[in-house]
Amino acid sequence: MLELELESTLATSSLAEWLRGKLGADTLIVESQGRPPLNGASNETLMLRARWSTRGLERTGGFVARGAPKGFALYHHYELEVQYRTMEQLRRTHVPVPPLVGYEADSNVLGEPFYVMEEVEGIGPPDIPPFTTVGWLLESPAEEQAELYDASIEMLARIHSLDIGTIDLSFLNRSAGKSGFDDQLARAEQWFRWAAEDRPQPTMERVLDWLLVHRPSSPPPEGLNWGDARVGNMLYRSLHPVVVLDWEMAGLGPGEVDLGWWLFVNRHHSEGLGVPQLPGFPDDATTVSRYEDALGRRVKDMLYYDVFGGFRFGIILIRASQKMHAEGVMPAESDYEVNNGATRLLAQMLDLPTPG
């Protein structure tokens, strides 16, 4: 397991030798390692600092190693290679992703597959707790928050402006006989059934029914979807994004899929948590307008894609609730699995009975 293996002397030595080969170095020493602060739970991540020598030239640098999550998992399928291949294709575009060192499918190296990227200098808003409750972005002046937000929306539109005919993203269709948003909707339903474990999920079941019945009859043009589209998955320098991270949920579909997720997560991290939105962050209507200006077209069916974003975020909260119950962090009688910030927001959006 990456979480355990990378902390052992043997694994550090194995990773150092793997890195040495990938970098074409004569010698390489891992000087330090640790885990990122305020990190999410979707993967295992290790930060490394290394010193290496190539033909007498000494260099130092940082690296990020990632593997699948251990024990508890948010996703029913964690496709490490798909993430890596997505970033590999994006290196040919104007969407900034971390420089890639390599993907290793051979479990003999560390006991499981993993990939390594170069560390990128920058700072990201925290995930746990979310940036609306703690951290440097919350403490920044409103005008700086606004500048960061506008630059982030422009980056989102840049992703959706890609001509996917010039790169190979066909591997993002994973459902048999389905492609684009059809594939994403099918995988979301599978993910939900897996997470629910046959327990009643009254609000989420009704939301899924609504999504299946109200599919847009004339959907927007499709392209690359980032998946987990939010400010917390970018690193910033001088309030502007320098790298786009975390492609676990990448797929093909209209840009509205990412925009819906963006809007819902922002709403959850403020209204859903009972805290104010950051004063420099605009309301949904202004966000949509700025996104349209950056993308160069009008969006369509935003209620549908907003609800789709909320449905997928609700699955994550189902799994988070299960984890907290299993660890004894949450009382056994808690109904958080069915009555949480996501289900309450979804019920409001679709005029459903209030959860709980």
Side-chain angles (χ1 to χ4, degrees), residues 77-228:
H77 297 301
Y78 192 82
E79 300 162 313
L80 199 67
E81 185 175 6
V82 169
Q83 296 174 46
Y84 187 85
R85 292 178 66 186
T86 301
M87 291 187 290
E88 197 170 40
Q89 291 297 313
L90 287 173
R91 292 176 64 189
R92 303 180 171 92
T93 74
H94 57 283
V95 175
V97 294
L100 301 174
V101 177
Y103 169 75
E104 184 54 67
D106 187 351
S107 296
N108 289 326
V109 179
L110 291 178
E112 65 169 297
F114 64 95
Y115 68 80
V116 176
M117 312 171 284
E118 293 182 25
E119 184 179 5
V120 176
E121 182 183 353
I123 183 171
D127 274 342
I128 303 175
F131 64 86
T132 50
T133 62
V134 68
W136 64 271
L137 186 56
L138 174 66
E139 297 164 1
S140 298
E143 58 270 19
E144 293 185 2
Q145 296 171 357
E147 182 178 346
L148 178 142
Y149 193 90
D150 287 349
S152 303
I153 287 294
E154 290 175 4
M155 181 61 71
L156 186 63
R158 184 190 298 186
I159 294 170
H160 301 150
S161 298
L162 287 175
D163 179 0
I164 62 171
T166 63
I167 54 178
D168 179 16
L169 296 172
S170 58
F171 57 86
L172 291 178
N173 289 319
R174 282 93 97 189
S175 300
K178 297 183 183 295
S179 62
F181 182 71
D182 289 336
D183 170 65
Q184 291 202 60
L185 183 57
R187 286 189 290 115
E189 182 173 2
Q190 294 164 9
W191 183 20
F192 169 62
R193 299 299 180 199
W194 168 81
E197 296 179 346
D198 296 325
R199 290 194 293 272
Q201 301 285 343
T203 302
M204 291 288 284
E205 288 282 3
R206 295 184 70 170
V207 172
L208 176 59
D209 290 343
W210 186 91
L211 287 168
L212 294 174
V213 168
H214 290 87
R215 283 289 310 278
S217 57
S218 179
E222 294 194 333
L224 172 64
N225 288 156
W226 176 9
D228 195 0

Side-chain angles (χ1 to χ4, degrees), residues 225-279:
N225 288 156
W226 176 9
D228 195 0
R230 53 195 176 89
V231 296
N233 276 339
M234 289 185 266
L235 297 183
Y236 297 84
R237 290 201 297 268
S238 301
L239 304 176
H240 287 251
V242 293
V243 69
V244 181
L245 304 171
D246 293 344
W247 295 87
E248 290 100 331
M249 295 173 64
L252 298 176
E256 282 85 343
V257 172
D258 277 346
L259 183 58
W261 174 271
W262 180 285
L263 294 174
F264 191 90
V265 172
N266 275 356
R267 201 178 305 121
H268 175 270
H269 285 4
S270 54
E271 180 184 346
L273 297 180
V275 299
Q277 181 61 278
L278 298 190

Side-chain angles (χ1 to χ4, degrees), residues 1-19 28 30 33 35 46 48 65 108-112 114:
M1 298 188 298
L2 191 70
E3 181 178 10
L4 300 178
E5 292 283 356
L6 284 178
E7 293 175 351
S8 72
T9 301
L10 177 60
T12 300
S13 176
S14 298
L15 183 57
E17 181 60 22
W18 183 89
L19 267 175
L28 184 142
V30 174
Q33 61 186 45
R35 304 196 178 278
L46 189 75
L48 307 167
N108 289 326
V109 179
L110 291 178
E112 65 169 297
F114 64 95

Side-chain angles (χ1 to χ4, degrees), residues 307-355:
V307 171
F308 180 63
F311 177 71
R312 291 190 298 168
F313 195 78
I315 302 171
I316 288 176
L317 294 191
I318 289 174
R319 292 295 289 156
S321 173
Q322 293 167 358
K323 176 179 173 62
M324 289 186 285
H325 278 297
E327 294 176 348
V329 176
M330 183 173 287
E333 65 273 14
S334 170
D335 68 346
Y336 184 78
E337 184 172 331
V338 297
N339 180 13
N340 53 59
T343 55
R344 289 192 293 270
L345 287 172
L346 286 165
Q348 292 173 18
M349 293 167 72
L350 297 181
D351 196 24
L352 301 177
T354 302

